[in-house]
Amino acid sequence: MLNYYMPTKIIWGKNVIVDNYKLFSEMGKKALIVTGRSSSKKNGSLDDVIMALKKGGIKYSIFDEVEENPSVSNVVKGANSGLDSDFIIGIGGGSPIDAAKAIAVIIKNNNIDPRELMFEKTVSSALPVIAIPTTAGTGTEVTPYAIITDHVNKTKKNYCQKVFPKYAIIDVKYFLTMPKKVRISTAVDALTHLVEGYLNINANLLNDYIAEEGFRLWGESKNYLNEDIIQENIMEKLIMSSTLAGMLISQTGTSLPHGMGYALTYFNNIPHGKANGVILKEYMKLCNKDKVNKIIELLGFNTLEEFGNYLKTIIGTVTITNSEANKYSETMFNNKGKLKNHPYDVTLEDIYNIYINSLNIGE
Ligand code: NAP
Ligand code: ZN
């Protein structure tokens, strides 16, 4: 059976925000802009949104305090800053856009405790969200997920429900300001989505087509990732690859590398993309060989080892202790939501071995 549902309208091009200012007026009379502390001010996306809102006569307020890997209290603070909003505009990387989605849920369900919303209630209502990505990695502009950090359970979790943005507005100029480190880590996140979606129990022919085009574009960009300044046409390929990867995981979900990477981000402060990327090669050894070979070919490598060496060159390594490896393995082994997306049975030992074969194990 083939199934595909992705209700986000993608609008992509130069100056798309200001040129499409009327689109914002369709969404309501008052917007809450949700963004990080500085990047959207520097790359011009925030100014462009404000200009579009002013042209359309829409009132707005700004919450510009979204942290990286936003926590429950961070999104609650954002929601409280705009309870009278009709719609939410998330601008930035995955953190502000995911925060925008969680805020859209909290404002719409203001009578329910936000932690209860996160863990217990499956409410399907949220204010409409417009996503304006400025990193090419998470694909959140076309996924229904909002990954929020839960300090009580010391992990990251999908904020209970499915909020596909109504619009994803993409203009390459906002992505060109990414520092090399952010560009590489986020690109590796997109690559990991492609791998986890393609090798997923929920993979199907349509998702495979999407993934294969994503790999091809990623492969065409790989030799430019490490350059200090990236050309616009290469950045566009990376964005397309990342958006395709988002469309893919919106159907398949992610699996082991994301589940295993969350602990590295939470406890060892490793950026999301790098945290998944360091696990990737060892994970692929547990997967369907024909599909793995296809990935390697589409990316333009000769062997899995060559692919692994390339990744190590661009993202480096991570060091954890043996007791951390044991603790994280148990957490992953209990994460049935992610395990079920991997097509084969995995033991606790398999997970531990992925960690210790992927990472440096220190004292
Ligand atoms: P991010 O945490 O959103 O941003 C990382 C850093 O990059 C921040 O310092 C940010 O600055 C900066 N930045 C963003 N865009 C920039 C630009 N154009 N120029 C210069 N600097 C820029 O990073 P991310 O990797 O995109 O998102 C990670 C989050 O997304 C994680 O929480 C992860 O779990 C989640 N995620 C979600 C999905 C999903 O489907 N929902 C999928 C994968 C991952 P500012 O703070 O100043 O903006
Ligand atoms: Zn990711």
Side-chain angles (χ1 to χ4, degrees):
M1 183 179 68
L2 270 183
N3 237 321
Y4 190 84
Y5 177 69
M6 201 289 286
T8 304
K9 180 166 182 174
I10 300 171
I11 306 175
W12 184 326
K14 295 213 188 305
N15 301 318
V16 271
I17 293 182
V18 179
D19 289 353
N20 288 280
Y21 74 93
K22 287 191 182 139
L23 166 161
F24 293 87
S25 344
E26 291 164 15
M27 309 272 295
K29 292 188 165 53
K30 166 100 200 285
L32 172 61
I33 301 173
V34 174
T35 190
R37 289 188 194 278
S38 67
S39 68
S40 63
K41 296 177 184 114
K42 292 183 190 149
N43 62 32
S45 49
L46 181 60
D47 279 347
D48 285 354
V49 167
I50 290 173
M51 195 188 299
L53 294 174
K54 283 185 174 161
K55 275 180 98 159
I58 300 166
K59 294 197 188 99
Y60 64 90
S61 58
I62 302 176
F63 177 68
D64 61 0
E65 296 174 38
V66 178
E67 315 156 338
E68 290 184 34
N69 308 297
S71 61
V72 179
S73 60
N74 190 219
V75 296
V76 168
K77 186 173 182 198
N80 286 336
S81 77
L83 290 173
D84 58 345
S85 310
D86 299 319
F87 64 104
I88 314 293
I89 305 171
I91 313 174
S95 297
I97 295 178
D98 283 9
K101 293 177 184 176
I103 288 170
V105 174
I106 296 170
I107 295 180
K108 183 77 179 187
N109 300 279
N110 200 18
N111 55 331
I112 304 175
D113 177 76
R115 284 192 64 79
E116 217 179 298
L117 279 174
M118 184 170 188
F119 293 109
E120 285 156 35
K121 303 258 174 185
T122 310
V123 286
S124 55
S125 57
L127 294 183
V129 173
I130 296 180
I132 301 173
T134 67
T135 63
T138 70
T140 181
E141 68 277 9
V142 291
T143 77
Y145 315 125
I147 310 299
I148 301 300
T149 297
D150 170 27
H151 288 303
V152 176
N153 293 303
K154 297 193 179 340
T155 189
K156 297 170 72 178
K157 194 178 183 308
N158 187 9
Y159 202 88
C160 96
Q161 57 222 285
K162 306 195 173 305
V163 184
F164 277 105
K166 193 167 161 65
Y167 295 103
I169 307 184
I170 300 174
D171 187 332
V172 65
K173 72 179 173 221
Y174 307 132
F175 297 72
L176 298 172
T177 52
M178 265 188 284
K180 186 160 80 172
K181 234 176 159 175
V182 174
R183 184 209 302 149
I184 291 174
S185 181
T186 51
V188 170
D189 187 27
L191 174 66
T192 316
H193 296 161
L194 291 168
V195 170
E196 290 178 49
Y198 193 61
L199 301 174
N200 199 289
I201 190 120
N202 303 312
N204 63 31
L205 199 58
L206 187 53
N207 293 332
D208 283 359
Y209 288 142
I210 292 172
E212 287 172 7
E213 185 58 15
F215 287 125
R216 200 183 59 72
L217 289 164
W218 209 96
E220 286 178 8
S221 320
K222 68 179 186 301
N223 293 337
Y224 304 93
L225 263 184
N226 220 355
E227 294 193 347
D228 289 333
I229 295 176
I230 195 151
Q231 297 303 313
E232 203 171 296
N233 65 323
I234 303 293
M235 194 67 241
E236 278 188 323
K237 287 184 190 194
L238 281 170
I239 301 169
M240 182 63 86
S241 176
S242 160
T243 302
L244 289 173
M247 289 164 65
L248 174 70
I249 60 163
S250 74
Q251 312 300 305
T252 62
T254 55
S255 66
L256 264 82
H258 267 67
M260 296 176 71
Y262 285 164
L264 299 177
T265 298
Y266 191 87
F267 294 106
N268 305 81
N269 207 21
I270 307 297
H272 175 71
K274 177 171 177 174
N276 307 323
V278 287
I279 303 289
L280 207 51
K281 183 196 82 178
E282 291 299 320
Y283 167 70
M284 288 163 79
K285 290 183 180 169
L286 295 187
C287 298
N288 177 302
K289 296 249 171 322
D290 290 340
K291 280 191 125 177
V292 169
N293 289 339
K294 183 83 185 169
I295 294 173
I296 297 301
E297 179 198 324
L298 288 165
L299 289 172
F301 294 104
N302 293 306
T303 61
L304 184 59
E305 280 312 307
E306 191 191 334
F307 168 66
N309 291 338
Y310 164 84
L311 275 183
K312 202 173 254 183
T313 320
I314 58 166
I315 55 176
T317 52
V318 167
T319 302
I320 62 172
T321 63
N322 193 42
S323 81
E324 284 175 325
N326 275 309
K327 183 172 85 172
Y328 302 169
S329 301
E330 273 180 32
T331 307
M332 179 65 230
F333 191 61
N334 291 321
N335 187 344
K336 302 297 176 206
K338 293 268 181 255
L339 277 184
K340 74 174 171 26
N341 290 341
H342 180 70
Y344 311 108
D345 284 341
V346 176
T347 63
L348 181 60
E349 198 183 353
D350 289 331
I351 297 170
Y352 173 76
N353 285 337
I354 296 179
Y355 274 124
I356 59 161
N357 292 331
S358 302
L359 311 179
N360 292 330
I361 304 300
E363 285 304 304

